[in-house]
Amino acid sequence: MIAKKRFAVPFIIWIIAGTVIPLASIAYYGFTSRSGGFTFANITAMFQHDHMQALGLSLLLALISTVICLVLAFPMAMVLRGSKYGKQGFLIFVIILPMWMNFLLRTMAWQVLLERQGVINSILVAMGLPRQEMMNTPGAIVLGMVYDFLPFMILPIYNTVSKIDNHLIEASYDLGASRVKTFTSVVLPLSVPGIVSGVTMVFIPALTTFVISNMLGGGKINLIGNIIEQEFTVNSNWYLGSGLSLVMMVFIIASMLLLQKFDKTGGENLI
Amino acid sequence: MRKIFGRVYVVIIMLFLYLPILALIVLSFNEAKSMSVWKGFSLRWYEELFHSKLMVQAIANTFSIAILAALIATIIGTLAVLGLAAMKPRTETVLMGFNNIPMLNADIVTGIALMLFFLMFHWPRGYLTVLFSHTVFCIPYVILSVKPRLNKNTDKLFEAALDLGASERYAFRKIVLPELRPGIMSGFLLSFTMSVDDFIITYFTRGAGINTISTLIYSQVKVGIRPSLFALSTIVFVTALVVLVAVNLRQKRIDAKQAY
């Protein structure tokens, strides 16, 4: 046997020091008050008006972005599936390339386009149209999320639809099913694993982001990620920050469980 | 009809993906500081970028952390794959569950979790805490890349080599390593890109004194966008383009060779 249990020792140390203890410390701080006693106050703080508003807005914007990504990605994945081998490689290359650019720079690009003195407004003015206030709106944040996360939706969906056997689709036509029927009864059910991994890969980062809302919301629109980030970096209230993170993690875990239910490949779609 | 729709659709998505980047590239050569007036071609923002000591330091930090983190993660991850194979299926499943956590978890949670860990154990935040954190989120990718390469056949060949008198070390180098190599390589490269690209976890685990490219961009954007960041965008984009083209061409050559 090449395999020896002791080879996994550094890995287990890393899991304990890098994952188990750090996550346990969020739980510890989340249930501890500033004076050191046990409390639920950091958890129930989520029900405060500001926090509820931020959580609600995060869920809403993350949901909208995820739906837009899904609607944009599915036809793209189908086009990819239908194209010839060489062209397919080129298209995948073109979709992956922006992912290699730092996502802060990609988000900044939208700031440059949308700003009051930005590119789109100067084009509008040159055409004799009035300036638009596009920055610091929820719409700008959604746009940023869709732009940053779209490839994460396209690739997993493409991975599953490309494996759908053409014979199944032909059989469906031969048996008299219409295009729509074939899509809803054959293609769509077979692409569920890809859709689910795409949805989690877009929904979780969109729900928890503080960068996109900070850059395109101008610090005026608070998402739950912004609230948590500020508790840690500005207010140094780790107790409250941890408590709110624990509540946020409920949503993350729910999406993970959903992923596990549908995706039996053990996370291979995620790479 | 369908074909035309497909073509138009692809073009629209491409425009959506690339127009913003194109805007940055054009503006990086603009003499004026403004984002709306073109005042003529200039390389002054590239000059400003490379004269910034902060930026040069950040670039050095980003790449040294990425190389070290990818290296450490590759070694620990590859060893872990060999270790996991010797364990009971149940133990293996549990450990793989833990392995997937940093990959599936939101980066902000991983970031603050590690930050609290460093604070609790009074580990002053700086280069080393960032490096450690990067190894934490890189290891899962290495394991998921290497694990599928290890199969029953590898084990038999290894045993055969031992029976034929090879030392364990020699058999490992000649039999096991070549089998795992593609997985190890892709694990390393994946880790490297994840590390270079990371902002959120670095943001929470770095001290005040150290910057990577990402954290520096973030602090500069907060103060006000300077065109030197457009120059940086152009360089990053062109580098990514060149690297990806090179990788693709190499892959094509390998595919062509295997076709014989």
Side-chain angles (χ1 to χ4, degrees), chain B residues 12-54:
Chain B
I12 292 172
I13 295 284
M14 294 302 130
L15 288 177
F16 176 60
L17 288 177
Y18 284 93
L19 274 185
I21 298 174
L22 188 71
L24 293 183
I25 294 176
V26 172
L27 286 172
S28 76
F29 295 109
N30 188 2
E31 168 73 30
K33 201 186 157 190
S34 155
M35 298 174 204
S36 47
V37 193
W38 177 262
K39 252 178 127 186
F41 182 88
S42 147
L43 289 176
R44 61 183 281 215
W45 305 115
Y46 288 84
E47 227 167 282
E48 184 183 297
L49 181 72
F50 287 111
H51 279 135
S52 156
K53 276 211 180 94
L54 273 174

Side-chain angles (χ1 to χ4, degrees), chain A residues 54-55 58 206-211 213-214 222-232 248, chain B residues 108 204:
Chain A
L55 180 65
S58 302
L207 178 69
T208 58
T209 188
F210 64 94
V211 180
S213 42
N214 227 337
N222 271 336
L223 298 184
I224 191 65
N226 297 86
I227 305 259
I228 292 172
E229 184 244 343
Q230 281 157 23
E231 289 308 328
F232 277 95
M248 191 176 73
Chain B
I108 186 173
F204 286 108

